[in-house]
Every structure is written in structure tokens, then in C-alpha cells.
Amino acid sequence: MLLITCPWCGPRAEIEFRCGGEAHIARPDPATASDADWERYLFLRENAKGVTLERWWHVHGCRRWFNAARDTTTEEFLAFYRMGEPPPATLRARLGR
Amino acid sequence: MVNDAYRRGRSAAPSHGTMQRYSIFSLARNALTGHRNWQAAWRSPEPRPAYEVVIVGGGGHGLATAYYLAKEHGITNVAVLEKGWLGGGNTGRNTTVVRSNYLYDESAAIYEHSMKLWEGLAQELNYNVMFSQRGVLMLAHGSHDEQVLKRHIHADRLNGIDNEWLTPAQAKAFCPPLNIGKELRYPVTGAALQRRGGTARHDAVAWGYARGADARGVDIIQNCAVTGVRRDGDRVVGVETTRGYIAAGKVGVVAAGHTSVVMAMAGLRMPIESVPLQALVSEPVKPVFPCVAMSNAIHAYISQSDKGELVIGAGTDQYVSYGQRGSFHIAEHTLEAIVELFPIFSRLRMLRQWAGIVDCTPDRSPILARTPVRGLYVNCGWGTGGFKATPGSGHVFAHTIARDEPHPINAPFTLERFRTGRLIDEAAAAAVAH
């Protein structure tokens, strides 16, 4: 079981949370989006082996959403940051973005 | 870890076309010489610089693909590249359940195709895959479950697949350890039974296909990880591996949980998320459990291996992961359901626990298709239920690679369906909700 640090509540057990999948996927503009845009938005995923950015929901706690960076091979969390914020600068080099 | 298959693959190599047939007579003959003269089941050749077809992934589906390429299509200039040992991924980590009672026509067709191949597989391969049609029982715990399972039964019967409704008393008669008492939190109110469903020995399926493919000239290369996919424009021309570059006319990717990783090497992003799916076995006990039993509603499935261990399937972790472990609370959740349904198991000790990394598509149906890169084919997305499909998947994927067009059975399972919206939203893809 993962130990997850909610930015508002602090470290809590994984069973208090729901994983919301890959983070920073922008919804396309419905007025102009093509089928390929919708495919990218709805279905295509990075599915990274290594560092991934994902959303978590503290459903059995404060019920707020936040972002996390996690290594999918070790399950180690590298950062927690709030919704709307970009990933921490220290991570961007490691992510190659 | 030294695996039995790995050791066999490394030992002395028989030459092509001289596969030793297994029979009661060969068993008796070898018994007289202390079992010292058995041939290795397949060679372990050095990779050649080029092949007509390279299959990435030496699990059941990849090995079956190579076998049917050689047998059905006469394409024997084939290599299967496996980064670890044969069947060491999901083929050796699943709960060995075989069934074909799926809801939609597309799924019913591919899983029933597989079931028919299972029914003759041991004879076909001259390898005992220990296929046992002991029956798969799916439990209902209330009116909603009953409606869903009865809908499945009717849909299956229209597709010529056996599936029947049992009352709780009939379910108890079929599976005596089952608790049908009214005191349960979710009492059993009926069950759907596919009598032709059952289990098979998972390792034997990989080994049998490997031996059959090898005898027809396929090179099986273990400890050979693919590190890159080389393209010339829109066409694939070969793969970079930890044992050097291998040129290929066609490449079939059958990499299960690592599909996204391999396809990214070819510049393609996939509609897949990889999550750990967990299973566990108890200490071995005498034969006590006669069938496979599953409950979607309270999340439990269980059978007994021929070795005597209870084989129990737990759920998936909720996040993407490549760690083959699985979380404790996932197994605990399943065991709570198991001991309520089968109280006689409450004092059994669990022996081993593990996870496999399963490749889940958004519609929980597989992808067996060509890709936008010419000569590159993908067989993935089997999610939590790929073992049962092994023979059929390999059979139609070999057709797709050999003819450069899908077999009618896998034609609906395209990669483009996530763009066109023609999804196959298979409600019965998992016998339990993941």
C-alpha cells in the first residue's frame, strides 16, 4: 500500500485515495477538434515506465484533487503539487520536458 | 532466479525436424535409463542477422503466433525474442482459467475460436497442457447480477456457446464447498455455468508452443530484450536488441504490459494503461474444489491446481505500474470474499503472492491489428484475461502477419477503433470487476 502525501492533509494511506490517471491532458476545443484530437484526449496515454505525472483524489479525506509524480518501476513518489500548477522544476529535467 | 524453462532452453540442442515425440512408450523407455536422455524441448540458437518475421515477446501469445506462422502459413524464417525466460511474464502469472462465455459477438467469436483450439491442443502439440474442462461457475448475488448473467447466457447460446443457469441448490451440488446460506452479507441467488470452461497448465502452454515452433524451424531467443525499433520512413526494417541489430521483414509486437514501451520505440502512442494484477496460491491440500468459481459482485475467483494449491485471483492496483508486486490490501479484499463464500478455507495459509503487468485498453477488448507503420503488427490489450485466448490469438495474429490483413475473427479488434469510436465495450472481459 502506498503512503501518499495530500498537499492539504499530509501523509495518508492509499485506501483513502482514488487515482485519476495521467495528469496534464488538456481537453481539446470541441468546435475545432478532429477525431484524432479526441482519440489523443480520451484514449492515448503515455503509460510511462519510469517517472509519470498523475492525478489523485483524496476521496475519503478532504475530497480535493492534486497532482503527483511517481516512478512506476519503484512506486516512489517524487513530488506532490496542486491542481493547476506545473510539475516542479526539479522534475522537468528528469522528465525531459 | 533459475527457471525450469530457462534451463531447458539452455541445454544441448536437437537439430531441426527430429523432435522427440512424447508418448507412454517414450516415457517407459526413458524411465529405464533414469530419465537422463530426454532431448531439450527446443534449441537455444544465436540470433541470425535477419529474419522474415520477428516476434517481440516469448509468452504464450507470441509463441503461439510463431507456431501458427510456421504451421499454417509455411513461414519458418521466424525469431521469437524474449527479454527474460519463456512464459515468465503474464503467461506464468495468471490464474489459468479458460472460458468463452463473453457477451458481444466479436468477443464470443475470438474466445470460442480459442476454446475450440484448446479442446484439441494437447494432441496438436504432442504436449500435455493439462486442459481440464471442469466448469466455470459465475455467481449471482441479487437481481441485478441475475439479469446480467442471464443476458450473457442468452447471448452465448445465440452464438453457439454453452452457458446455463443454476439455482443456488444446483450451484451447491456442482460446487459443494460453496456457502449458499442466507446469513451471507451478499447471499448467492444463482449462478451461470459454462461446463466447457476450466483450467490449463499455463507453463505447459508456453513450452508446448515453443517446442512445436522450434521443431518447425523457428528460432527462440531468450535473454534478448528489444531496445529499439528501426524504421525506414513508414516501414519497419528491424529491431535493436541487447544481442545486436536484427533485420526483419515484419515485426509482431506481443509484449503485454510492455506494449506501450516497445511501440514508443516505433514512435507510436498506444491506448493502453499497464497495471499490476495480483494472484496468490494457498498451501497444497487434497482435492477439495471441483471447478472454477467466480463472483463479480464481491470480487473473488478460485480454483484448485492439480498440485493441490488453491489458486486465487485478486484485483488490479488502481494506478499504472511496472512493479510485479501488487498491494496487500488488494489481496486482503479478495480473501475476505473467499472466506465468506467458502468458509472451509478460512484457516488455510497462503503460500505465494505475485502480480503480472496487464495491458488494459479503454474498452477492455484486445487489439490484434496492423499499425500505421507498414510491416509492424500489434497483439495487445488482453488486460486481465488473456490466457484463455492464447491459442486463438496466436492463430489469427499469425494470419494477420502472413497475409498483411486481419482474419475475419480479429478484423473488429483494430487500433483505429479508438479514433472511429467503433469500440467493443466488453462487459464480460473480466469475470470480476477490475
Side-chain angles (χ1 to χ4, degrees), chain B residues 9-48:
Chain B
R10 296 252 302 202
S11 50
S15 55
H16 285 184
T18 58
M19 184 176 88
Q20 188 179 37
R21 301 239 352 134
Y22 296 152
S23 67
I24 185 72
F25 303 107
S26 71
L27 185 64
R29 204 163 44 241
N30 280 283
L32 292 173
T33 53
H35 295 292
R36 285 187 298 273
N37 299 317
W38 287 105
Q39 261 180 17
W42 54 84
R43 298 163 299 124
S44 192
E46 283 300 308
R48 296 205 298 268

Side-chain angles (χ1 to χ4, degrees), chain B residues 125-156:
Chain B
L125 296 176
N126 178 236
Y127 203 101
N128 186 3
V129 296
M130 299 168 77
F131 181 47
S132 161
Q133 292 178 297
R134 58 186 66 181
V136 171
L137 195 63
M138 293 175 140
L139 303 174
H141 304 267
S143 59
H144 293 88
D145 279 358
E146 288 173 33
Q147 286 164 14
V148 168
L149 288 178
K150 284 178 179 170
R151 184 181 172 209
H152 281 62
I153 288 170
H154 296 314
D156 286 339

Side-chain angles (χ1 to χ4, degrees), chain B residues 250 370 374-377 398-406:
Chain B
K250 293 176 177 178
R370 291 178 294 201
R374 281 196 298 144
L376 182 67
Y377 306 83
H399 179 107
T400 306
I401 294 173
R403 310 271 183 93
D404 192 37
E405 63 177 20

Side-chain angles (χ1 to χ4, degrees), chain B residues 208-225:
Chain B
Y209 273 122
R211 176 167 166 267
D214 175 88
R216 287 169 171 79
V218 172
D219 281 0
I220 293 164
I221 299 159
Q222 300 177 77
N223 299 305
C224 180

Side-chain angles (χ1 to χ4, degrees), chain B residues 81 224-230 238-246 265:
Chain B
L81 309 182
C224 180
V226 169
T227 54
V229 177
R230 204 181 279 183
V239 291
E240 314 280 353
T241 79
T242 50
R243 295 175 68 175
Y245 175 69
I246 299 173
M265 295 172 192

Side-chain angles (χ1 to χ4, degrees), chain B residues 100 102-113 156 159 161:
Chain B
S100 62
Y102 279 62
L103 179 61
Y104 289 126
D105 293 351
E106 296 89 342
S107 319
I110 197 163
Y111 289 101
E112 181 60 17
H113 180 55
D156 286 339
N159 278 314
I161 297 169

